[in-house]
Amino acid sequence: MPIELAPLPLPPSADASSFVEFGKEVKGIDPGKLSPEELEEIRVLLYKHDTLLFRNCELSPEQQYALTKAFDPDTETYGHGNYKSEAAKKSILHPYHTHIPRVPQVQLIGHGVVRDHEGIAVAELQHPSHKSFHQTHLTAEDEAAGFTRFYRWHIDAALYDREPPKVTTLYGISVPQGPKQVVRYEDGTGDELLVPLGTTAFVSGRTMFEILPPELKSVAVRARVRYAPHPYEWMSTAGAMSTGLGLETEGKEKPLSELAEWKEEDVKVYPVLWKNPVTDALHFEVHPAGVQELFVAPLPTGAKREGALYPDGVHLTDLKELRDLLYRMQRPGIAPSLVYPHDWHEKDLVLFHNRGVMHSIVGVFGPGQVRVFHQCNLAASSGPVGPSDEDVIKWA
């Protein structure tokens, strides 16, 4: 039976013209039993469409790990390591992950008490809440009325020592149902977004770049970011913006001298734009909460200087200045019309191109609601590729 593709089930809030290529539902194939030829077809489809949905899957942890590893056969380590190091234990991510004992690259995530699951006697899972990370919080009355926030827009990546995974797989095992919730951006725009309970929200990094005005495209194609050492520990004492798109600048980041031991050679510097290995498109891929410095190269010879930002290049170390610039470039890409909030069903499998999208946890679960997911991504065997010289000439 040949592979069939269908559009993702977009909500009324989505601008369908922006999702022509982004996201497909895949039918007629078992993702746990792919032949080499089928796997290559899925690989191309994922990089072309960035997010693939498979419904009604039966997928063991071993099959999920094998599927994830097939996109990068030379790696086998979970994207954030083993969570046993000093830095990992102080990370904002530490409370939310439990590995499957026999397949430690697959993580058990979700919400509520889970018993006798894949070799785990008892796990007390916690769905991340904006109240543990944002500078300001919704009131209890607002949450009771069904309002929520994006928790944190991010890419799955350690951003220190290990390279960002190429692919993440998310498998829904137990999916609680309930009324939809309304995401409030609360950044002065009045933007809101109706979402399913417990959705994972996705946006396209390609679209994020392509909708920018020329002067910001020029900055993006010339820019690199330097992440803080142990960035999830560094940001753990700070507060995020109400949109979940980066940190407020209050000087609350943990001082570098107080972080777990770190090495300069393990600090990561990446281009702002990452090149798609199949389409050659450029994707805006920055985890804004972890960025400590930003570099913009000078305009190439012959480029138009009129109206250009930083024509002679710049090295930004002031956190407010660089965060304001990143927010200016990234915020249009999370507009309600550009967000795909996936409506999870049990046995849904979502593969996403982790170097091509950004995503966020969303929502609040009530007492007694239990959510069980398996997640897998692997620290990549090589780093992302940035814009070519031709790309810089074209967009600068």
Side-chain angles (χ1 to χ4, degrees), residues 127-143:
H127 186 72
S129 165
H130 80 278
K131 290 185 176 179
S132 67
F133 187 50
H134 288 200
Q135 179 204 45
T136 64
H137 303 155
L138 294 171
T139 66
E141 291 76 18
D142 282 340
E143 285 194 328

Side-chain angles (χ1 to χ4, degrees), residues 62-108:
E62 289 84 356
Q63 289 174 315
Q64 185 171 356
Y65 169 57
L67 174 61
T68 309
K69 184 176 173 62
F71 286 85
D72 195 355
D74 295 328
T75 188
E76 60 183 24
T77 303
Y78 179 61
H80 287 272
N82 59 18
Y83 283 109
K84 294 181 180 179
S85 68
E86 179 185 353
K89 291 177 180 178
K90 296 178 180 178
S91 162
I92 61 170
L93 306 178
H94 186 259
Y96 306 117
H97 293 259
T98 301
H99 69 264
I100 302 298
R102 70 178 188 276
V103 191
Q105 296 88 348
V106 177
Q107 305 293 306
L108 172 63

Side-chain angles (χ1 to χ4, degrees), residues 206-256:
R206 177 176 180 173
T207 299
M208 185 175 283
F209 171 62
E210 292 181 347
I211 64 175
L212 290 176
E215 68 274 13
L216 291 180
K217 282 191 174 82
S218 173
V219 172
V221 80
R222 293 183 285 134
R224 295 174 297 134
V225 291
R226 182 187 192 273
Y227 289 96
H230 300 307
Y232 300 100
E233 182 187 357
W234 177 74
M235 72 176 76
S236 65
T237 50
M241 297 180 179
S242 58
T243 54
L245 189 65
L247 301 179
E248 296 286 1
T249 304
E250 305 174 280
K252 293 183 177 180
E253 296 78 16
K254 183 175 285 191
L256 298 187

